[in-house]
Amino acid sequence: MSNEDRYDALFKALGHRVRRRILDIIKDQPKTTGALCAVMTDIDRCTVMQHLSVLEKAGLVVVERRGRERWNHLDALPIYDVQKRWIGPYAAHAISMLGELEALAAPDASAQAPVAVKNA
Amino acid sequence: MSNEDRYDALFKALGHRVRRRILDIIKDQPKTTGALCAVMTDIDRCTVMQHLSVLEKAGLVVVERRGRERWNHLDALPIYDVQKRWIGPYAAHAISMLGELEALAAPDASAQAPVAVKNA
DNA sequence: TTGACATGTTATAATTTTATAACATTATAG
DNA sequence: CTATAATGTTATAAAATTATAACATGTCAA
């Protein structure tokens, strides 16, 4: 699987609020599928399972099978990775653009601290 | 528009390799739609425009109209914002999990520097 | 003014995603 | 062993996305 494939899967997985909600729920401790559905009463169990499989394909959820239970664990490493390799550079680009705007707005204030970064 | 709406739009926009490619192309200097299509010969002009509108809705592309030309600028600020508020915390979570694994692997090495954070 | 260039709009087909329903499988408690 | 709890599978419908085609509009240059 190429990096592009991985980014497609990851961003697509993050691109639905129900899936982000699932990640939030299992962030601090894993949950069985049943426990997850018990919390998300507004969403059908099958739908939850489909979302879980999308998250699993993106590598964000790791499944541990215990008897008849399925424990869904968060694995945030793909998020860390995409931050490092993709998001981070773009965020840095945004900051440097802000810096250029600053420079344009106050061309002779070179001693001043970069306001945009300060607000980060 | 809520934050969830914004994240939906942003992650969805990033979830297609053609759109990420467009962002890469206009990252360092804006391009007209025509110039963009001239570079992406493998993709139909209409398709490129549809992708541009998805990027525009996500706030990643800002359009400057000059005569009959449409100049597409990158605005990476939404990426910076989502990194700060969403991606960053999850990436940090990943790192802290790595830290816990480290601790498990070497329980008595408490004086050692946290390797995972060092590599961040 | 007019022809051609750059872009925009509308329509449509194919594909993918999302949500549910109905039924199937597996494992545990009693 | 067997009823039931937990999960899985298959099927299907509705909605959204992606890719193209055909046609429309606006603008510049001669």
Side-chain angles (χ1 to χ4, degrees), chain A residues 88-102 114 116-118 120, chain B residues 76-77 80 83:
Chain A
Y90 268 96
H93 186 269
I95 296 303
S96 86
M97 289 294 111
L98 280 182
E100 288 179 24
L101 286 181
E102 283 295 320
V117 172
K118 207 162 59 178
Chain B
L77 271 179
Y80 172 61
Q83 174 181 59

Side-chain angles (χ1 to χ4, degrees), chain B residues 12 32-35 45-46 49-50 65 68-70:
Chain B
K12 253 176 218 166
T32 67
T33 305
R45 184 180 65 89
C46 296
M49 288 188 61
Q50 274 187 127
R65 197 161 292 285
R68 67 180 159 182
E69 291 172 334
R70 164 196 164 119

